[in-house]
Structure formats: C-alpha cells, structure tokens
Amino acid sequence: MRRIWYFCFLLLAGCCPIVSLHAAQPVIIDTDIGSAVDDAFALGLALASPELEIRGITTCGAQAGDRAWLVCRFLTHLDRHSIPVAAGTDPQPDYPLDWQIQYRRHPAVVWNRTAKPLAAAAPDFIYQQLQADPGNVTLLCLGPLTNIAKLFQQHPDAIGMVKQVVLMGGALEIGYEGKGPATAEWNIHADIRSAQAVFTAGAPLLVAPLDASIGLQPTAAQREQLFAHCSPLTFQVQSLYELSDEPSPTLYDWLAVALAVDPRLAQLKPLHLVVTDKGVTQAKEGKANARVAEAADASRLLDWGLKRLLGYDKTRLPLPPENASSLIAAGPLPARVHTFEDYDTDIEKRWWMTGMLEIDKAPPGRGRAQRAVLTQDFDGKNGDLATSYRAVIFNPVPGPPMGPQTRLAFRYHLHGTDTLRVQLFSLSNGYHRYLAVSGLQQDAWATAAVDLTAMRKPNGEGGPLAENERIDDIQFYIDPRAELLIDDIVLYEAAAPDERRPFPDRILFTGGFDTGKQGAEWPGDFEIAAHASPRTWRYARSVDQNGQAVIRLNLRGQRAGAERLRLRFDYWASAAAKLDVSLHNQAEPAGYRAASITLPAQTWGVAYGDFAAESADDPATVDELLFRLPAGVELRLDNVLLYVPGK
C-alpha cells in the first residue's frame, strides 16, 4: 500500500504541475500570520495554487487587526487586493506579533495605499460566505481555532454549511524534536477550548499534524533559490522571513495548504481525535471525526510548492537610481543637530520603520547597528512600487524643521553594491526627494556625509530642501540582492564658518523643542514656548521647583556615558546668574562632576560645559540633564546637544 501511495505522490508532485479537472475549490484561510513565519510561506503557496479560489482571509491571535493589515499589504503587492480580509475579535490567544509588525507599519498601509480589512468580524464574514455557498467552502486553518470556534458557537447552523475544515494542528506520536512522546502542538495548545469545540462540532476535519509536517524544512539552497527569483510574491515572503528572525523555519502550515489543494499529497487515515485539557491531541476508539495525514514526502512536497512560488510571477528588479551626487566631508561641530540614531538603545525602537538589529557586525567600538531588510519604496507617488529594495529607514519623530544647509552623516557597511540611495519625506510638501551616491567602499565599515539640499524628486523636480521645511523618514535604499548595515545617523546643519571643534564622536541627546509635545516627545520638567522674532520655532522655559528655576530634561532612557562628555546649548536668562548644570541617573548615584556657568542677562548666547566621569574606567550611564538657576530668574534653552567630543 505504501508503495502505491508513494508512486501516486511521484505522479502528483513530479515535473508536471497538478492540473485540476474540476473548478477551483472555494476556501477561506484563517491565519495567525505575523508570528511563526510558516504562515507567510503558506499564504504564498495558497495564492500560487490555481486549484484554490480564495474567497477571503481571516486573522487570529493577539493583535488580529494588525495581522489583517499585514495580509492586506501582502495581497496588494500581488494585485490580489480584491480578496476580502477580516480580523478576529477579542478575546484571542495572547501571544504577540514578532518584528513582522514592521511589515504592517509601512506607509502603504498607514496612508491607505493598500486594501483595507472589512468592518465585519471574522466569524460573521465566514458565516456570510457559507450562507452564500453552503456545502462548498473549505475552511483552511493555519493558526489557533479561535475564530472557527466562535463561528460555530455564534452560528451553529454553520457547522452543516462547511464542506470541510483543513487544519494544521495536533501531534499524535512526536514532539517538536521529531521523536516521542507526543507534545501539545502550538496551534492547539494556544487555544485549547476552541480546539476542543471544533473537534467535537461534527464538521468534517482534514488534519495535518506535527507528525507529517515536521520534515518540511527548506534547505539553505532552497531558500536561496526562492529568494533569488526577486518577484513580487517571493519579495513578500522573503520580507516576512527576514523580519521573523527564524533562520531555518519549518513550514508546518505548508502541508495544510497542500491538503486543501489535493488530499492525495499525503497518506491519510481516518481517526477519532480528541483534545485533552492540556492541549494534547490523541487518537481514541470511536467513530472517525477526521482524516489525518500520517505521512508526507517532505522533500518532494517542498519541491512541489517551491516550483509554484517560483512560477507565480516574474522577476522584477529596480532600475538604477537617478540624481547622482557625491559624498562630502562631515565638517566640524554642527550648528544644530536635528536628530540622531545610533541603535545602541531601544529608546527609539518604535521609530525603526525598516531594518533589523545587528550586533555581531556592529562597527568597532559600537554596540549595535541596523541591518537592511526588504521593503517597497516609501515613495507612493513617484517610487517603483512593483519591486522591492533592501533598506534601513528611521523616522525622526516629531518631524523637525530643517535649516539652510542640512546635511546627513552616517556609517555604512555595503556588500554586493557600491550604490546607495538616500531619501527623505517632506512633511511640509507631502513628497519624497532623494540623491544617489556610487563608488562607495564595500565589505568594511566607512563613514559618509551627504548634502541634503542636493536631493530632488525622482523626476528631477521639487527643488532643494528649504529652510523651515519639516521632514520625516530618513531612508537608505540599495539593490535587493545586496547587503547594507547602517549606524550613527546624524541629521544636522553645517557648521558655522569659524567653527573649529570636531564633529561629535557620539551623540547622547539633542533637544530642539520645535515640534512635538512636552511630556511625550520631550519628557521632563519645563514648559515649551514660542520664540519671539527674529528667532523662530520654540524653546524650553524653566519652571519653579523647590525654590529654584529648573529645567529638567529627561533623555528618554539610559544613555551610555564616556570618560568625557560635552554639553552645548543656546540660553537666555532674565537676569545675570550662575547656572548649575548636572548629569544624573535616576536609578544610581551621579557619576559626573557638575558644571557651573555664569550667564549674562536677557541676551541669547551659546554655552559649553564639560563633564568628567568620576570613574574613567567605568563611566556611568545617564538619563537626565538638570539646569538650575536661583528662584525668580527665568531660563530659556534651545539647541541642546550632549555628546562625546570627536578627536
């Protein structure tokens, strides 16, 4: 019997694709995409299988709404946005999305350039589809059975309308290490009550358990072959794969999709399955309630599926960028630092729009950097949205205004290309500009700076970056087949002509207060007020506290210190007075000697203060800057910069 089944599989999964003699099978896919990355591979396989007519996709798991948006973006990039998507309602199993949430936060989603999830909840949407075509729709379940249990509970007549429930779930004889004893498989264990409800409801079940799917692990060569195709479909799968940080995923859900395409792709056995209160799936005596995949040829099943993904659409690589520019010298100490990101803390992690943390290959003397991952161009108006790039993108919330000579400094490590595109989004004008530099060093860390006033729109229009223009999304793009690491991003204004102090080695904090709210983007004890002409934008103003005029600037988290730190700031005092400035760590004793500066009255000036670590061998971390004047004196601050001096 096994020889006959194996021969049939060879016929089905050989060099010839399966050609259905019947109309495509209507299916609704229920997925917890955004957690284990096998859902992304499975969704790609389902979309590439003409035997399946996908009537809709629903999402389960915590943050089901975010997962639905993730699916919408995936579908839109394949021009399959007509497939409706609905999110499951709470409560859902409580496990978070991993870093694949970054895929959902792309501007294509934020600015309504993708399909949108339906307002209807997943169970209601599924019920509507079943009512419209009773007895013909298969439910293909790739995650916990929460939505299906809710469907059967809220609409009991739906049980008789379902053609079958095909699901990845359960383990009968083995655990995740491929040997006994059986374990509580993830999809079942994540929502045991829902699994029990579905297994006892009476709907026909076709089950792909861990036992038959555990061997579905693509080799490195197979992944490379798939991702080298560089098509819209493989780009989406690869993007989620990279964000998942699962180097060698097992494609458990792949088998469930294959069974929905054709049950003959596995050896099936009728069994009576039950789910214990501990989430273990067991075969018991009694009337069979499920057909269960006992075995599948993993190698041939992977080849079969990979051929489908590779054959779905054509390679689509980006064209070389226009608007060639050149690197410039970073120059001395900037006149103003608008924003920075060194990736050494998680303080601004929520604004890492594209990229993955890199530790092993960080620059010498630095702790962390950012590795480029796949994404579509953030430019939805003039960018090529049919392809993907490898990119690092950082959002400098809250969108600072630029000066007349805006520059961008950064460290980079390139492999496989010598060309880098640098792009900004203009909040003021609502469009992107970019410049491209070529001939860059490869396979070693290097420093670079570019003149952002040389940026233009892709068609050459848009004019230079203007003074007081607010910007967003600092973007670095390369060819999707190459590699890029980025670190020490500094957006700044060019130094004054007479400036001789060197460019900072490292920045700990910059405060301009021009945009954003006190307490949110600018935590601490102070007020934000508008400058009087001729100065523009805003400044920080002292508050009375414990008999003193105080400005307390919270650095938004722990910042690594150094043997020597330098502080620069613009100031105004209502009366001549001695200003005490100190660095603090709210969780530890102060590790730096305080500085004192005498300020003149009622004139804006620039002051510098140096802080020496009390322990040069182990400089303390800091999280707060404290400025104090005598009571009755008003202090105003702007253009605050705390940094490690360059050499």
Side-chain angles (χ1 to χ4, degrees):
M1 179 64 187
R2 288 182 179 272
R3 290 182 179 179
I4 295 174
W5 172 82
Y6 182 71
F7 177 72
C8 291
F9 185 93
L10 291 178
L11 291 176
L12 289 166
C15 60
C16 298
I18 295 175
V19 178
S20 176
L21 301 178
H22 307 285
Q25 169 62 49
V27 298
I28 295 173
I29 300 172
D30 188 60
T31 173
D32 60 343
I33 192 169
S35 295
V37 77
D38 60 328
D39 287 74
F41 282 85
L43 179 58
L45 177 59
L47 290 165
S49 295
E51 300 85 357
L52 302 181
E53 178 193 344
I54 302 175
R55 297 275 180 91
I57 300 173
T58 58
T59 55
C60 57
Q63 299 172 261
D66 285 327
R67 298 176 196 268
W69 278 108
L70 191 154
V71 172
C72 286
R73 183 183 165 205
F74 194 114
L75 295 175
T76 299
H77 288 304
L78 302 183
D79 199 24
R80 300 286 294 273
H81 48 270
S82 61
I83 297 175
V85 179
T89 54
D90 291 334
Q92 291 282 336
D94 187 17
Y95 56 94
L97 278 77
D98 62 18
W99 204 230
Q100 293 174 77
I101 186 66
Q102 200 177 86
Y103 185 90
R104 179 258 185 271
R105 292 172 178 162
H106 191 279
V109 177
V110 176
W111 297 109
N112 297 318
R113 299 200 296 263
T114 68
K116 299 179 182 179
L118 301 173
D124 295 330
F125 165 74
I126 297 173
Y127 185 60
Q128 293 166 5
Q129 295 296 311
L130 294 176
Q131 284 183 309
D133 195 6
N136 290 321
V137 179
T138 290
L139 304 184
L140 175 53
C141 303
L142 309 179
L145 296 171
T146 309
N147 289 335
I148 312 307
K150 288 182 179 181
L151 167 70
F152 291 166
Q153 179 184 18
Q154 296 168 11
H155 307 284
D157 57 327
I159 298 171
M161 299 180 186
V162 174
K163 179 178 181 179
Q164 62 179 344
V165 178
V166 180
L167 65 98
M168 190 282 134
L172 300 179
E173 297 181 0
I174 66 170
Y176 282 99
E177 295 181 356
K179 57 185 179 181
T183 189
E185 183 274 330
W186 169 258
N187 284 344
I188 301 299
H189 188 263
D191 191 345
I192 296 171
R193 299 302 178 202
S194 290
Q196 291 173 329
V198 172
F199 274 59
T200 58
L205 303 179
L206 178 53
V207 180
L210 194 66
D211 311 64
S213 59
I214 197 164
L216 292 168
Q217 187 176 61
T219 64
Q222 287 174 316
R223 292 194 304 272
E224 289 173 6
Q225 178 192 15
L226 178 66
F227 299 150
H229 187 50
C230 295
S231 72
L233 175 58
T234 62
F235 276 144
Q236 307 319 306
V237 175
Q238 185 180 4
S239 178
L240 291 169
Y241 163 76
E242 291 179 354
L243 291 172
S244 74
D245 202 24
E246 292 181 59
S248 301
T250 299
L251 308 186
Y252 303 105
D253 294 337
W254 194 273
L255 180 58
V257 176
L259 293 179
V261 170
D262 194 315
R264 295 172 295 172
L265 290 173
Q267 183 177 350
L268 304 179
K269 182 177 182 179
L271 292 173
H272 179 74
L273 296 184
V274 299
V275 176
T276 72
D277 289 341
K278 293 185 177 181
V280 177
T281 307
Q282 296 178 342
K284 297 287 188 178
E285 294 293 331
K287 182 180 178 181
N289 62 350
R291 292 182 295 160
V292 182
E294 281 194 306
D297 190 313
S299 176
R300 285 179 170 79
L301 197 57
L302 284 170
D303 287 342
W304 167 81
L306 290 172
K307 287 178 181 177
R308 289 178 169 235
L309 268 66
L310 290 169
Y312 179 77
D313 48 10
K314 296 180 180 180
T315 296
R316 185 67 167 83
L317 290 169
L319 297 173
E322 303 288 341
N323 195 27
S325 187
S326 301
L327 297 183
I328 62 171
L333 182 68
R336 188 180 188 92
V337 172
H338 299 295
T339 191
F340 74 99
E341 179 56 78
D342 61 12
Y343 300 105
D344 283 342
T345 74
D346 289 344
I347 294 171
E348 307 295 347
K349 185 176 181 179
R350 60 181 175 151
W351 303 121
W352 301 349
M353 304 302 291
T354 301
M356 291 287 286
L357 199 61
E358 175 62 44
I359 297 175
D360 294 340
K361 294 184 178 180
R366 296 296 198 261
R368 311 194 304 189
Q370 194 80 338
R371 175 176 292 277
V373 297
L374 286 175
T375 189
Q376 277 76 30
D377 198 324
F378 270 36
D379 186 350
K381 295 181 178 179
N382 297 294
D384 183 355
L385 304 184
T387 187
S388 289
Y389 304 82
R390 199 164 293 281
V392 170
I393 300 174
F394 166 63
N395 184 356
V397 172
M402 300 296 95
Q405 300 183 71
T406 307
R407 310 287 187 256
L408 184 70
F410 54 93
R411 296 178 192 263
Y412 70 90
H413 188 292
L414 281 169
H415 173 76
T417 184
D418 67 353
T419 300
L420 177 66
R421 173 160 60 100
V422 180
Q423 183 165 292
L424 286 182
F425 176 65
S426 171
L427 284 171
S428 300
N429 298 325
Y431 56 72
H432 289 78
R433 299 184 185 90
Y434 79 79
L435 58 80
V437 286
S438 297
L440 298 177
Q441 182 176 339
Q442 295 190 56
D443 299 316
W445 278 100
T447 58
V450 290
D451 180 355
L452 296 187
T453 64
M455 294 189 305
R456 296 294 185 273
K457 294 168 68 173
N459 60 7
E461 299 176 355
L465 193 66
E467 188 171 4
N468 294 319
E469 183 177 344
R470 291 183 62 195
I471 63 91
D472 206 4
D473 294 343
I474 301 170
Q475 307 159 50
F476 303 88
Y477 295 95
I478 60 168
D479 185 288
R481 298 162 294 183
E483 297 177 10
L484 169 67
L485 301 174
I486 289 288
D487 198 12
D488 291 330
I489 301 169
V490 182
L491 181 67
Y492 66 99
E493 291 301 311
D498 59 349
E499 181 63 70
R500 295 295 179 265
R501 300 173 185 86
F503 198 87
D505 179 68
R506 180 165 59 87
I507 295 174
L508 282 74
F509 177 79
T510 183
F513 315 107
D514 294 327
T515 55
K517 297 180 180 179
Q518 194 278 332
E521 287 80 19
W522 303 111
D525 298 331
F526 57 93
E527 297 173 344
I528 293 180
H531 276 295
S533 181
R535 296 180 73 92
T536 58
W537 296 92
R538 306 187 305 177
Y539 63 89
R541 182 169 60 199
S542 60
V543 295
D544 293 334
Q545 194 173 87
N546 299 323
Q548 292 180 309
V550 169
I551 292 180
R552 187 188 307 271
L553 299 180
N554 187 295
L555 307 188
R556 297 193 291 271
Q558 299 289 328
R559 306 281 185 174
E563 182 178 354
R564 186 166 69 98
L565 298 176
R566 175 163 288 176
L567 177 68
R568 184 194 67 190
F569 56 94
D570 294 359
Y571 66 84
W572 182 96
S574 61
K578 178 183 176 183
L579 173 67
D580 292 326
V581 187
S582 54
L583 276 171
H584 294 271
N585 186 322
Q586 298 175 70
E588 300 175 1
Y592 291 87
R593 300 179 184 90
S596 295
I597 304 168
T598 300
L599 304 183
Q602 299 190 10
T603 182
W604 278 97
V606 180
Y608 292 84
D610 286 328
F611 299 90
E614 294 180 355
S615 173
D617 295 331
D618 186 21
T621 58
V622 295
D623 63 5
E624 185 178 84
L625 264 170
L626 181 60
F627 300 80
R628 292 175 294 179
L629 280 174
V633 180
E634 179 183 310
L635 174 65
R636 302 175 185 178
L637 292 181
D638 198 359
N639 196 18
V640 179
L641 182 66
L642 180 64
Y643 64 101
V644 178
K647 298 179 180 179

